[in-house]
Each structure stands twice: as C-alpha cells, then as structure tokens.
Amino acid sequence: MIRTLGLAAALALSAPPVKASDVVELELVLAVDASSSVTSWEFDLQMQGLADAFRDAEVQGAIQAAGERGIAVSLVQWSGRDRQVLATDWMHIHSPSSSLEFADELAATPRFISGGSTAIGNAIEFSVNLLTFNAYEGLRRVIDVSGDGRTNQGIQTSQMRDAAIGEGITVNGLAILNEDPSVDHYFKSNVIGGSGAFLLSATDYQDFARAIKQKLLREIAGPPIALGPQIEPGPQIEQELGGAARSTQAARHSVTPVSPDRQDELAIPVAAE
C-alpha cells in the first residue's frame, strides 16, 4: 500500500492531459500524521474530525461560495521517509451531496500506516507530486499538514517547503500540541509558507475537529486581500505568514530534487524507524 514518489510520478506521467472542464478553484491535499506518536484512538479522532467537517453545512456553503468550478481534495497518510500513502483518492466536490460523499469516503478509509518516524519534508514532497500529476488544474493549490511532532528523519522540512512555494503551492499547518506544547513554533518556522499561508493549533486530538473545520473554511475561502499584523501563537489562534503574494497559477512541473542526505538537525538513521 505504500506508494513511493517515483511510482506516483511514473503512473501520473501516463495520465491524459487536463481538460478545461477539470479546472477547479482549489486543489487541496490533506496530509494526516500517522506516525508512532499517534495512537489508534488519536488517528480515529483525526479522520472523524475531517469527515464531520465535510458534513458541516458551513463548510459545504464555503465550497459553493468559492466558485462554480468547485474544489478537488485528496487525503494522504504519512510518517517516515518512505511511508506516505494516497489514502483517499482525489474527488471533485462542488455541492453538498458531493461533500457528503467525500465525508463517507473519509469515514471508511482505514489506517494504512501504523507507526514510523516523522518526516514532514517527505510528506510535503509526496503531496507536491500529487498536486503536480492529477486530473485537475487548480487556480489555487494547497497542502494542509497536520501533526504533533517535529521532523526527525528525511528531507529537511524547510527546504521542501521552499521548493513547494517555488511551484506556487501554499503549505498550511495544523499543529497538535498534546506531545510537544511548542511544536506550533516549529511549524511556523519550518512547515508553513506560500501566499496567504497560516497555522492553526489544536490543544489535543479531541480539539482537532474544531481546528480542522476552521482551517478548511479558511483554505476554501482563500487568503484575505490584505494580511493583518501577526500576533503571538496559541492553541486557539491562527498565524498568518506575511510576504509578497506568489502566483497561484504557476506552470506545473516536477519539484527540484532534494539530496536525501540533507536532513534536519534532529535526523536519525533509517534503521531507527
């Protein structure tokens, strides 16, 4: 079930060209932490929170308000360097009924990855490839990374984040503070980036449902016209990432390869996974 980046790219290269009818307002990858720090109960809370969000009338209204093209969404489970799975395939959501259908898909999705290290950079790289090679053309492209820990294996997170930004992709974060109360600072410095990027925090996995709904509402609506001043991070507060807006309709092509031996300072040997 584990899909490597090389296989994903090879399969996608044989896909038919994107048609005009496949243009969507937003392409969104939901990248969910399935590493060793996430228990079965905590993982189920993540999946239930996501399913509930797409059943929510407010989220469904935001999708319809985003534009007549709708949005395309997929879900990735990730942990260590070579442990990423496209767990829920791309679905075009453009109405309450299609949103409910996607919610049912999420609710029925099993846990494909159980344990492993934390390789956020590799999760971002995998998600970038999914955005680059699929049947949709998004006017905006976003990766939504949720997790409760810092990278300890694989590609340097900030380097892969910067590569994603270079492709016109925004990376947002949802930091879950139950394991490491300061992991939101790590996400702010190393994970989020791109036009209108922001960070939300959840105090624990029971708070995940509240946070992911607010996060989806913000991502579906898109970045505000003007970004306000930053404030100190906290469990209930979102963080804006300032800076010049980058084009969200950048031409699609592969991400610049990153040397596998360039790892975060906390990197550990592969055998430790």
Side-chain angles (χ1 to χ4, degrees):
M1 301 301 298
I2 305 301
R3 306 185 185 187
T4 63
L5 287 170
L7 177 59
L11 291 174
L13 283 172
S14 62
V18 174
K19 302 175 183 177
S21 60
D22 294 323
V23 174
V24 293
E25 303 292 341
L26 169 69
E27 284 176 87
L28 175 64
V29 176
L30 303 168
V32 174
D33 190 350
S35 63
S36 294
S37 63
V38 182
T39 68
S40 296
W41 177 70
E42 291 169 340
F43 181 82
D44 289 345
L45 285 175
Q46 289 186 91
M47 298 302 294
Q48 187 62 53
L50 283 164
D52 288 347
F54 282 94
R55 293 187 178 112
D56 186 88
E58 195 173 358
V59 172
Q60 293 173 7
I63 293 171
Q64 291 188 289
E68 60 183 11
R69 299 180 182 90
I71 67 174
V73 190
S74 63
L75 181 125
V76 168
Q77 297 172 18
W78 61 271
S79 63
R81 185 202 320 268
D82 297 316
R83 296 171 69 84
Q84 304 94 30
V85 173
L86 174 58
T88 306
D89 206 352
W90 289 100
M91 183 175 289
H92 183 206
I93 305 175
H94 53 84
S95 65
S97 61
S98 56
S99 185
L100 289 173
E101 183 181 353
F102 187 66
D104 291 343
E105 289 284 337
L106 290 172
T109 299
R111 183 172 184 170
F112 292 111
I113 298 175
S114 184
S117 299
T118 301
I120 300 174
N122 293 78
I124 294 173
E125 182 181 36
F126 186 84
S127 300
V128 168
N129 275 274
L130 289 178
L131 287 167
T132 303
F133 303 108
N134 65 57
Y136 300 98
E137 183 75 40
L139 302 182
R140 292 183 290 120
R141 295 189 289 163
V142 174
I143 300 170
D144 179 333
V145 180
S146 61
D148 66 6
R150 304 163 188 249
T151 289
N152 55 25
Q153 188 184 80
I155 299 171
Q156 186 178 26
T157 305
S158 59
Q159 185 177 0
M160 197 61 236
R161 182 268 320 275
D162 292 345
I165 294 172
E167 295 296 313
I169 296 169
T170 295
V171 184
N172 295 327
L174 199 168
I176 305 165
L177 308 181
N178 65 318
E179 293 281 337
D180 178 356
S182 64
V183 74
D184 53 344
H185 295 281
Y186 176 82
F187 268 62
K188 182 182 177 185
S189 298
N190 297 277
V191 178
I192 69 172
S195 178
F198 67 97
L199 169 69
L200 285 181
S201 297
T203 54
D204 53 30
Y205 282 92
Q206 290 177 299
D207 189 37
F208 180 87
R210 174 203 63 81
I212 196 63
K213 175 187 171 181
Q214 295 304 314
K215 196 160 185 287
L216 286 170
L217 287 172
R218 180 63 174 275
E219 286 165 339
I220 293 166
I225 296 174
L227 299 177
Q230 290 189 343
I231 53 180
E232 290 300 314
Q236 309 295 326
I237 300 174
E238 65 184 30
Q239 293 293 315
E240 300 281 6
L241 183 71
R246 297 172 174 85
S247 171
T248 58
Q249 300 184 50
R252 294 182 170 212
H253 36 86
S254 301
V255 175
T256 303
V258 180
S259 174
D261 59 355
R262 297 191 65 179
Q263 302 179 359
D264 289 74
E265 293 182 357
L266 298 177
I268 56 177
V270 175
E273 189 176 0

